[in-house]
Amino acid sequence: MTTASCASGDVTGAELPTGILEFLGIPFAAPPVGKLRFEPPVPHSPWPEPWDATKYGPTAPQPQGEGPMNEILPNRIAPGDEYLNLNVWTPTLDGAAPVMVFIHGGGFSTGSGSVSVYNGERFARDGVVLVTINYRLGPDGFLWVGDGVANLGLLDQIAALEWVRDNIAAFGGDPQQVTLFGESAGAMSVVSLMAMPRAQGLFHRAIAESGAGVSVISPRSAKKVAARLAALLGIRPTRSAISALPVDRVLAGASTVGEELTKRPFTTLWGEAGRNLMAFEPVVDGDILPGIPEDLIAAGAGHDIDLLIGTNSDEANLFFVPSGAVDRMPSIIASVFAWLYGARRPGTVRRYRRNRPGVSAGTLAAAILTDGFYRIPALRLAGLHPHAHVYEFAWKSGAFDGRLGACHAMELPFVFDTLDDPEAAAMLGGPAPQELATRMHAAWVRFAKTGDPGWPPFTAEQRTSMRFDVTSHLTEDERADERALWPSSRRKARIRA
């Protein structure tokens, strides 16, 4: 057992057999329940006795995932009010090591910082204090009906970063050397925080894995989602009416909204939420999030923050292969995805098909969705930032007879160097190269320590990227013919507060 002192009181963690110190389930804000349910996070009241930080705490309320995709994506759900908590792994309580704070993904509706694949022991082994966090999800974190405070989930993330600023020195970390990183919705959060005035100065480097600066919605779109949720719940679309209902009932309604949006993702019905395929996500409210993150970064926000950003080669396979949908897609879907995400030049689908001879209509559509939703926005953001580095993760899983490929979230056990975690086995689909995990994990550590992951920066003129695979190597404007089919700037469909 080992004890550290926080602003709210002492916390007692464990010393692992490797000598790494582990502190789990430390509250960074008061429980967001009762009168605090739809309010910004507030400090936790002091605890008189040492807090038991030897086991993971509760997780944010969320639906229990079902279906083939959820069977291969690890998650942990645990009930309890004290779910605004975080976990810390550190090599020692002394000194001032670089700090890395991880924001989990899950479409802003699922996930937790206590998934075992995110175990931070290997980061601590390599001289980094690693922190993982929880934040409010779904309606409780991102509902917007026009009253109260928007983006509570983002404010929770800021509260966790403020906790790091004020307390991490007691865990051997340097609050002036913080790298914020995240995957999927976590990466979208990272980029949003780069652009948010309230997060300024709380972190100094950023890593965005499979998420960039356009996955936000307007208040108009958010109100469309809220109105549909309220209709399903049989109440008026007000924050007070929704907050009066049990969390489980609201979650059930939110799941139905998500299913309806996925089946009919029309912007006429949902606004930008239809294009983003997420019912609850950050809202451009003009205050907490003053604009679209990509636009704000283009105008200079976050330029003092070192950036590492990248995507996986086959992101969209996760959404289509496990369910078998990849084999049922009509050929028109590829054109729909190309049009929806901005590649509207004649011949776009023909070019993608020519570069992938013999693939099915579903595989072709997945390739176009991967680029339109993930790869192109990431490259565009990197080109707008004065000191960005870019990567692509290309190792192909053996799962589903190799058809899963380098899908969404596949890089995570490599980044955390947790290939040996049983929870990662289903996604990896068999043996995975430890040499690749060692190399990728080392690049993340190096970036956190120096701002340089080990390869040249990316610019709009020299599009250098590191391709991580069994044999990793640098590329220069890879698949330039396909990149050129997409607009060089975001489609100017305005999102205003």
Side-chain angles (χ1 to χ4, degrees):
M1 305 290 280
T2 184
T3 300
S5 296
C6 303
S8 295
D10 291 347
V11 294
T12 301
E15 181 174 349
L16 302 177
T18 56
I20 299 303
L21 306 180
E22 178 183 72
F23 298 84
L24 306 177
I26 305 172
F28 63 81
V33 298
K35 293 181 179 180
L36 295 179
R37 181 175 172 192
F38 282 104
E39 295 296 330
V42 299
H44 200 284
S45 58
W47 44 82
E49 300 296 328
W51 190 276
D52 181 4
T54 60
K55 56 185 180 298
Y56 286 119
T59 59
Q62 58 193 278
Q64 185 73 49
E66 299 178 355
M69 188 176 77
N70 291 285
E71 291 174 4
I72 65 173
L73 278 180
N75 194 14
R76 173 182 176 270
I77 300 177
D81 292 344
E82 294 276 9
Y83 65 83
L84 291 185
N85 61 61
L86 50 77
N87 312 297
V88 180
W89 291 265
T90 180
T92 176
L93 298 183
D94 302 319
V99 180
M100 297 184 73
V101 180
F102 179 71
I103 304 178
H104 70 79
F108 298 103
S109 291
T110 64
S112 105
S114 53
V115 172
S116 59
V117 171
Y118 309 153
N119 184 292
E121 185 176 357
R122 274 60 182 279
F123 276 106
R125 172 200 65 192
D126 296 328
V128 170
V129 177
L130 194 285
V131 181
T132 65
I133 70 171
N134 289 336
Y135 55 99
R136 276 175 279 188
L137 301 169
D140 280 44
F142 296 95
L143 176 75
W144 177 242
V145 295
D147 63 338
V149 179
N151 297 309
L152 297 175
L154 293 179
L155 292 179
D156 292 342
Q157 295 168 7
I158 289 176
L161 288 168
E162 290 172 339
W163 184 97
V164 168
R165 177 196 63 197
D166 298 339
N167 294 280
I168 206 64
F171 296 82
D174 181 359
Q176 297 305 313
Q177 195 174 183
V178 175
T179 297
L180 185 64
F181 72 125
E183 183 267 342
S184 192
M188 299 165 192
S189 297
V190 167
V191 178
S192 293
L193 291 165
M194 287 178 66
M196 289 168 55
R198 299 188 189 204
Q200 188 172 2
L202 292 175
F203 60 101
H204 314 91
R205 297 184 177 112
I207 304 174
E209 303 171 26
S210 304
V214 293
S215 296
V216 295
I217 58 178
S218 66
R220 178 175 173 270
S221 179
K223 290 175 184 177
K224 286 177 178 287
V225 172
R228 181 56 184 152
L229 174 62
L232 289 169
L233 296 173
I235 59 174
R236 295 180 61 244
T238 65
R239 191 170 294 238
S240 59
I242 293 174
S243 65
L245 297 178
V247 172
D248 288 347
R249 184 178 168 192
V250 176
L251 283 176
S255 294
T256 301
V257 171
E259 292 168 2
E260 292 180 349
L261 186 150
T262 302
K263 290 176 180 177
R264 303 183 69 200
F266 307 134
T267 54
T268 52
L269 293 176
W270 307 101
E272 302 83 21
R275 184 175 64 243
N276 295 346
L277 300 175
M278 293 179 287
F280 301 97
E281 53 190 306
V283 180
V284 178
D285 66 315
D287 176 21
I288 294 167
L289 186 58
I292 297 171
E294 181 179 295
D295 291 350
L296 297 173
I297 289 171
H303 284 195
D304 58 336
I305 298 171
D306 298 323
L307 176 63
L308 171 59
I309 188 168
T311 55
N312 298 351
S313 299
D314 309 306
E315 296 273 6
N317 284 9
L318 177 66
F319 313 118
F320 303 141
V321 170
S323 66
V326 70
D327 297 320
R328 300 190 299 268
M329 285 188 189
S331 58
I332 190 63
I333 298 299
S335 298
V336 171
F337 285 155
W339 179 268
L340 184 62
Y341 296 108
R344 299 181 174 181
R345 301 179 187 179
T348 292
V349 175
R350 192 162 53 248
R351 168 61 64 180
Y352 272 81
R353 184 182 296 113
R354 187 180 303 130
N355 289 348
R356 296 163 181 80
V359 303
S360 68
T363 299
L364 186 67
I368 291 174
L369 178 60
T370 291
D371 278 6
F373 194 86
Y374 294 103
R375 178 174 175 252
I376 297 303
L379 295 178
R380 202 166 58 226
L381 188 71
L384 294 170
H385 196 279
H387 35 97
H389 292 80
V390 169
Y391 75 90
E392 180 177 1
F393 179 81
W395 180 81
K396 295 186 180 298
S397 163
F400 296 91
D401 296 323
R403 301 179 74 195
L404 197 58
C407 76
H408 192 62
M410 186 65 69
E411 87 287 356
L412 286 167
F414 293 85
V415 167
F416 282 86
D417 195 10
T418 51
L419 294 180
D420 55 347
D421 190 308
E423 293 289 329
M427 177 170 277
L428 295 173
Q434 177 59 47
E435 298 84 358
L436 176 56
T438 299
R439 179 166 188 168
M440 198 168 187
H441 173 80
W444 264 234
V445 170
R446 175 171 169 166
F447 181 78
K449 292 181 177 180
T450 68
D452 176 6
W455 62 87
F458 179 99
T459 66
E461 295 75 30
Q462 187 171 355
R463 299 172 177 274
T464 303
S465 176
M466 173 59 74
R467 182 180 175 89
F468 285 107
D469 204 338
V470 175
T471 301
S472 300
H473 61 276
L474 290 178
T475 65
E476 296 289 340
D477 202 6
E478 191 167 29
R479 304 191 298 282
D481 60 333
E482 293 177 354
R483 176 191 56 77
L485 297 168
W486 299 88
S488 58
S489 61
R490 185 182 60 81
R491 286 175 56 211
K492 297 299 182 181
R494 291 287 88 190
I495 296 180
R496 291 193 177 92

